[in-house]
Amino acid sequence: MEPAKIYLKPGKDKSLRNRNPWLFSGAVDRVEEFEENGQPAEIMTAHGGFLGMGYVNPESQIVCRVLSWEKQEIDRAFLEERIRASIGRRAMVLGDSTDSCRVVNSEGDFLPGLIVDQYGAGIVLQILTAGMEFFRDDILGILRDELHPAFIVERSDTASRREEGLEERTGVIGGTVDGPVEIVENGRRFRVDVLRGQKTGFYLDQRESRRIVGSLAGGKRVLNLFSYTGGFSVYAAAAGASEVISVDSSGPALDLARENMALNGFDGVSARYVRSDVFDFLNAESGPWDLIVLDPPAFAARKAQVDQAARGYKDLNMRCLRKLAPGGILATYSCSHHVDRTLFRQIAYSAAVDAERDTQVIVQTAHPLDHPFDLCHKEGEYLKGIILRVR
């Protein structure tokens, strides 16, 4: 299929010249030679000058996502080169002590709309856009050739697919998966529900944060809020925490948290698993705790929700700061890309002022090595964390 041609309105090429890979509908004058959603496309100025290659979807607010700033064919060979390069960059992460990571990170690996996570011997992929759906068969073939996965699970079940005019798709498309799969991360063992768990099953992007928190947890009473399947809890127990309390609203997630603690030999550690809304838990429990992990889901899915999200983050952080013992530590995170690093730090500052606690910033965290983002695509920088000590 020949590429479509996208012509921009006069003066609407600035973001592309700044190498942002997203082209919004408001900048587009017309699309010519269009046949189907996801079709490769050339992007042209209003006067016909070449700007880049991508794929087109007139049904989406993001009409085109750029794949290359050079004029070249977008085909299986192109995708093979990109995917192979992305996999090769993960050699620094995978090894004897860690067998799971993100091997393709969408725009961060210059393959917008494609997520591939490796879980031990198998992979879980998300195809989020019409362009990657267009090349789905090629992508699956390349992944089979490059990774030889024991299983392939598709978790294309996100809101972004609906915004692209695509139906959700989930299930096992290669090999056999009949329950949680076991992985190893920094020598710790975890069971991951790749079929029904959040995201693709596990928060792989918090691997380094879990390691840092674990290094601070020895001898401490630890509260893990929005604990999901107990990643931070396992690291705290491994460090010798005196008590670990995991709080989440999901019963199945807490069941896996219990399993993960036992899997690592910590079933004898003083631990509680509390199924509760976190706000309700903080209202009911007085503490104090020595270390609190606050890792909530994204509060701002859209830019219009930022103010409300900021209020929610501030309230949670203020409550946690008030419940820390002197010298206690708060590890606080946000995965909302609309809440940028500057705003998140301001939220933490405001929470500390209202909590009337003096605080030290121990470390600020961000994306790990296997979750790169494109410097020209600020929307790809979503994860930020601040680890604070109170006086």
Side-chain angles (χ1 to χ4, degrees):
M1 181 183 296
E2 292 298 312
K5 287 186 167 51
I6 303 170
Y7 290 88
L8 303 190
K9 296 174 182 177
K12 293 295 184 179
D13 57 355
K14 182 178 179 180
S15 68
L16 289 183
R17 293 193 184 279
N18 288 334
R19 302 181 82 85
N20 187 303
W22 285 4
L23 176 62
F24 288 89
S25 58
V28 175
D29 177 58
R30 66 191 187 278
V31 179
E32 297 182 356
E33 301 176 40
F34 171 74
E35 296 184 44
E36 65 178 282
N37 291 346
Q39 176 183 351
E42 294 183 22
I43 310 163
M44 319 294 286
T45 68
H47 305 292
F50 176 81
L51 288 169
M53 301 292 301
Y55 56 77
V56 62
N57 182 6
E59 290 189 36
S60 173
Q61 183 185 6
I62 305 173
V63 170
C64 179
R65 298 173 198 251
V66 178
L67 288 165
S68 175
W69 303 104
E70 299 175 2
K71 198 166 190 175
Q72 61 185 121
E73 189 171 357
I74 307 299
D75 56 9
R76 180 181 172 124
F78 173 90
L79 294 170
E80 186 175 40
E81 186 276 329
R82 288 282 172 94
I83 291 172
R84 184 181 293 146
S86 181
I87 292 169
R89 288 189 286 266
R90 272 50 181 191
M92 66 185 77
V93 176
L94 296 169
D96 292 340
S97 64
T98 298
D99 66 3
S100 301
C101 73
R102 176 153 295 179
V103 293
V104 179
N105 192 40
S106 196
E107 284 87 357
D109 282 302
F110 314 109
L111 287 164
L114 179 62
I115 298 288
V116 183
D117 288 339
Q118 180 172 335
Y119 287 108
I123 60 173
V124 180
L125 79 153
Q126 293 181 313
I127 294 176
L128 306 177
T129 58
M132 290 299 148
E133 184 74 19
F134 185 90
F135 286 105
R136 181 174 182 271
D137 290 343
D138 286 332
I139 289 167
L140 288 171
I142 294 164
L143 292 172
R144 287 188 175 103
D145 290 344
E146 295 296 322
L147 294 172
H148 308 288
F151 65 82
I152 303 176
V153 170
E154 184 168 2
R155 290 292 304 276
S156 300
D157 53 1
T158 67
S160 62
R161 274 185 70 92
R162 295 191 293 274
E163 293 167 0
E164 290 275 312
L166 300 171
E167 294 182 355
E168 295 183 9
R169 185 191 295 113
T170 63
V172 180
I173 54 177
T176 301
V177 178
D178 53 12
V181 300
E182 186 175 322
I183 68 167
V184 181
E185 178 189 89
N186 291 328
R188 313 296 174 208
R189 298 164 66 193
F190 295 94
R191 300 193 76 212
V192 177
D193 187 350
V194 295
L195 292 172
R196 291 170 292 274
Q198 296 178 25
K199 298 181 76 172
T200 62
F202 197 64
Y203 289 98
L204 293 168
D205 53 5
Q206 286 287 49
R207 180 180 57 256
E208 287 305 301
S209 290
R210 285 188 283 269
R211 181 187 61 78
I212 293 169
V213 166
S215 73
L216 299 169
K220 292 182 171 61
R221 189 180 185 216
V222 176
L223 174 62
N224 184 9
L225 300 174
F226 302 99
S227 62
Y228 188 42
T229 58
F232 282 102
S233 300
V234 168
Y235 277 75
S242 62
E243 182 181 15
V244 181
I245 303 171
S246 303
V247 182
D248 201 274
S249 61
S250 168
L254 288 173
D255 289 342
L256 266 182
R258 286 189 185 90
E259 290 184 33
N260 286 332
M261 290 284 272
L263 189 63
N264 288 276
F266 304 137
D267 44 346
V269 172
S270 178
R272 278 200 290 146
Y273 306 90
V274 181
R275 185 176 183 181
S276 172
D277 174 85
V278 166
F279 287 93
D280 292 341
F281 177 87
L282 290 172
N283 283 337
E285 297 274 344
S286 59
W289 288 276
D290 303 310
L291 193 161
I292 299 177
V293 178
L294 180 58
D295 187 20
F299 282 2
R302 294 176 174 79
K303 192 172 182 179
Q305 298 172 325
V306 167
D307 289 345
Q308 179 181 352
R311 289 191 293 272
Y313 282 128
K314 179 186 173 182
D315 184 43
L316 277 173
N317 279 273
M318 180 184 67
R319 294 183 192 211
C320 289
L321 287 166
R322 285 177 173 170
K323 294 180 184 294
L324 283 170
I329 292 170
L330 172 63
T332 180
Y333 303 94
S334 169
C335 60
S336 300
H337 85 257
H338 293 293
V339 178
D340 65 21
R341 184 169 294 278
T342 299
L343 176 56
F344 189 58
R345 183 165 174 170
Q346 178 66 34
I347 290 167
Y349 158 76
S350 298
V353 169
D354 286 359
E356 299 182 332
R357 301 299 297 263
D358 294 330
T359 57
Q360 296 173 308
V361 175
I362 300 173
V363 65
Q364 297 185 77
T365 63
H367 295 227
L369 292 171
D370 55 329
H371 285 69
F373 60 91
D374 183 345
L375 188 60
C376 300
H377 180 242
K378 65 178 183 178
E379 297 86 352
E381 184 182 9
Y382 67 94
L383 183 62
K384 72 287 298 181
I386 306 175
I387 301 179
L388 306 165
R389 180 186 290 116
V390 302
R391 190 164 64 85

